[in-house]
Amino acid sequence: MSADNEQAREQLIDLAAQFYDQFELGEIPHMSVPTRTKNNIEYDEEMDVWVYGDRESTRSANSVRGARKLLKAVYTIEFLADQLEEDRSSTLRELYYLSESWDNKEAQFNDQDESNGLIEDLEIVSGVTREDFHMRPEESGATLMGPLHLREQTRRGEREIHCQEDVGEGGYQIPNNPDTIEFLGTDADFILAVETGGMRDRLVENGFDEEYNALIVHLKGQPARATRRITKRLHDELDLPVTVFADGDPWSYRIYGSVAYGSIKSAHLSEYLATPEAQYIGIQPADIVEYDLPTDPLSDSDINALESELEDPRFQTEYWEEQIELQLEIEKKSEQQSLASHGLDFVTDTYLPERLDAMGVI
């Protein structure tokens, strides 16, 4: 067993041992975790990210429901400890189904949301990430394309890859745990994290990564943790500016927010996943007006989401308040692909170069 596996395993076992210690002291076994809501995130000025505040929820065996939760936690810890000892891995989906084979029916999960939530609880209280548990999402598939040379660890040993020369048009697929990657060198000047696959393909087809020495990271909508982690590592270790190119709607602004400031669900990992220096590059409500882009009307849920973002601490800046208020005024939203109304090359020849220049990136 590797040193990393052994350390993660010990931290999990220590957590389970706390329940036994509570029994010996005559205490009702319990586990406290931060409340994962918008009302319990606060700005950490030192780290420049959003983290959980002081509000906590307690999983306690003083009720049948609470006792079941702790029982499930103990069974899950045992499964994860065995998995680490054997140097195996599993998906979040597999964990849910694996519980069906556990000998105590009360320890089995009712649905995957329950098992996913427990893994998040264990991350927080143990200080070990799910990647170090060897737990992975069912699929990610996010990719990277650009002038980056790296070395990755695989079960077949190490391999070196250049993310332009050694990959096809699909790019380099980001692994579940990007911390197994070693960056060997890059000619990139900045990172362009792109929301949609269609826009990512347009940029690659037009040679944007080569002409502007850009690392194009495909976010695939709301980015997976692996995508946010490799983006942060590229920024921190290679000193590359990060820009986020997304649609002009409230849900895409939240995609940017998760890259820059972290998400409510994973606020305990903001220091590990978030890149506070990331800049939003569009589509802005101001672009809808300036370029007369094709639009769709805001739905009631869009309006509610925008109004909610005005109260969200991650968006309480002069820039975001101005853009969101403008969008509520014009009552329109627009997609990245709407730039094609000015021609297929407009995004790479005009829009992005002008925006990147104005932002001081190129």
Side-chain angles (χ1 to χ4, degrees):
M1 182 166 48
S2 71
D4 288 342
N5 285 3
E6 185 173 359
Q7 182 179 5
R9 186 174 183 274
E10 286 178 359
Q11 288 175 259
L12 283 168
I13 292 174
D14 286 345
L15 176 60
Q18 290 178 21
F19 299 143
Y20 290 98
D21 292 341
Q22 290 165 359
F23 270 122
E24 287 188 353
L25 293 171
E27 299 176 358
I28 297 174
H30 60 276
M31 179 173 69
S32 296
V33 295
T35 304
R36 294 198 289 272
T37 64
K38 185 172 68 175
N39 293 330
N40 193 39
I41 61 171
E42 57 187 35
Y43 184 64
D44 186 308
E45 293 186 3
E46 185 176 341
M47 294 191 296
D48 203 24
V49 294
W50 296 97
V51 298
Y52 289 130
D54 296 331
R55 299 182 186 180
E56 291 188 337
S57 301
T58 300
R59 316 285 190 258
S60 173
N62 65 355
S63 68
V64 172
R65 181 181 179 186
R68 284 196 184 107
K69 287 186 175 181
L70 291 187
L71 180 66
K72 293 175 183 183
V74 171
Y75 268 77
T76 302
I77 288 171
E78 181 182 27
F79 164 73
L80 294 173
D82 290 344
Q83 176 168 273
L84 288 167
E85 187 171 27
E86 297 168 5
D87 195 24
R88 302 289 299 275
S89 66
S90 56
T91 68
L92 294 170
R93 187 66 173 167
E94 285 174 329
L95 173 61
Y96 162 59
Y97 284 119
L98 278 164
S99 76
E100 295 288 328
S101 66
W102 291 347
D103 56 14
N104 191 323
K105 191 174 181 63
E106 299 294 338
Q108 298 172 8
F109 296 113
N110 297 316
D111 52 47
Q112 190 177 343
D113 286 343
E114 185 180 24
S115 56
N116 287 355
L118 179 54
I119 289 294
E120 291 165 7
D121 287 348
L122 293 178
E123 279 189 312
I124 296 172
V125 296
S126 71
V128 180
T129 68
R130 78 176 185 209
E131 289 79 12
D132 290 329
F133 291 158
H134 290 193
M135 293 297 300
R136 60 184 189 276
E138 193 61 30
E139 61 178 334
S140 172
T143 60
L144 183 155
M145 172 70 88
L148 174 69
H149 186 205
L150 57 81
R151 179 185 293 122
E152 70 172 6
Q153 302 289 336
T154 73
R155 287 191 174 275
R156 294 173 299 282
E158 296 181 346
R159 65 169 183 163
E160 294 187 9
I161 300 171
H162 190 281
C163 297
Q164 275 177 330
E165 299 171 3
D166 300 331
V167 299
E169 292 294 290
Y172 168 74
Q173 183 159 323
I174 299 168
N176 174 59
N177 187 358
D179 286 341
T180 62
I181 294 173
E182 177 185 356
F183 301 136
L184 302 179
T186 186
D187 293 323
D189 293 326
F190 65 98
I191 297 164
L192 185 68
V194 184
E195 176 182 356
T196 67
M199 181 54 70
R200 178 261 175 214
D201 292 346
R202 167 57 49 210
L203 298 180
V204 171
E205 181 177 315
N206 286 13
F208 187 83
D209 55 312
E210 296 177 332
E211 184 172 356
Y212 288 95
N213 293 327
L215 285 181
I216 299 174
V217 176
H218 178 202
L219 297 176
K220 287 195 70 177
Q222 187 66 39
R225 284 169 37 157
T227 311
R228 287 181 281 159
R229 177 58 180 162
I230 198 170
T231 300
K232 179 175 178 58
R233 283 196 60 206
L234 287 165
H235 170 269
D236 290 353
E237 298 173 32
L238 301 181
D239 197 28
L240 295 175
V242 176
T243 58
V244 179
F245 184 25
D247 289 340
D249 62 55
W251 318 106
S252 297
Y253 306 154
R254 293 180 185 184
I255 288 173
Y256 161 74
S258 71
V259 173
Y261 306 118
S263 64
I264 294 172
K265 194 174 182 181
S266 59
H268 60 293
L269 296 172
S270 290
E271 186 178 8
Y272 175 80
L273 298 176
T275 308
E277 299 83 0
Q279 300 180 77
Y280 184 77
I281 196 169
I283 301 292
Q284 309 171 106
D287 294 331
I288 295 174
V289 176
E290 179 179 353
Y291 296 108
D292 192 25
L293 297 176
T295 61
D296 292 311
L298 293 178
S299 66
D300 289 343
S301 62
D302 291 330
I303 292 171
N304 290 336
L306 288 168
E307 290 175 343
S308 176
E309 284 168 357
L310 286 173
E311 303 300 322
D312 189 323
R314 295 173 298 175
F315 294 95
Q316 287 179 350
T317 66
E318 183 178 348
Y319 168 80
W320 279 110
E321 288 174 358
E322 179 182 299
Q323 292 297 321
I324 291 172
E325 287 171 359
L326 174 60
Q327 190 151 32
L328 288 169
E329 179 184 336
I330 63 177
E331 298 183 340
K332 296 176 180 178
K333 60 184 177 181
S334 191
E335 299 179 355
Q336 293 176 306
Q337 281 82 355
S338 67
L339 292 168
S341 64
H342 296 282
L344 291 178
D345 298 332
F346 179 76
V347 64
T348 50
D349 289 355
T350 304
Y351 180 79
L352 284 175
E354 289 181 356
R355 290 277 283 133
L356 290 164
D357 180 60
M359 295 163 63
V361 177
I362 61 173

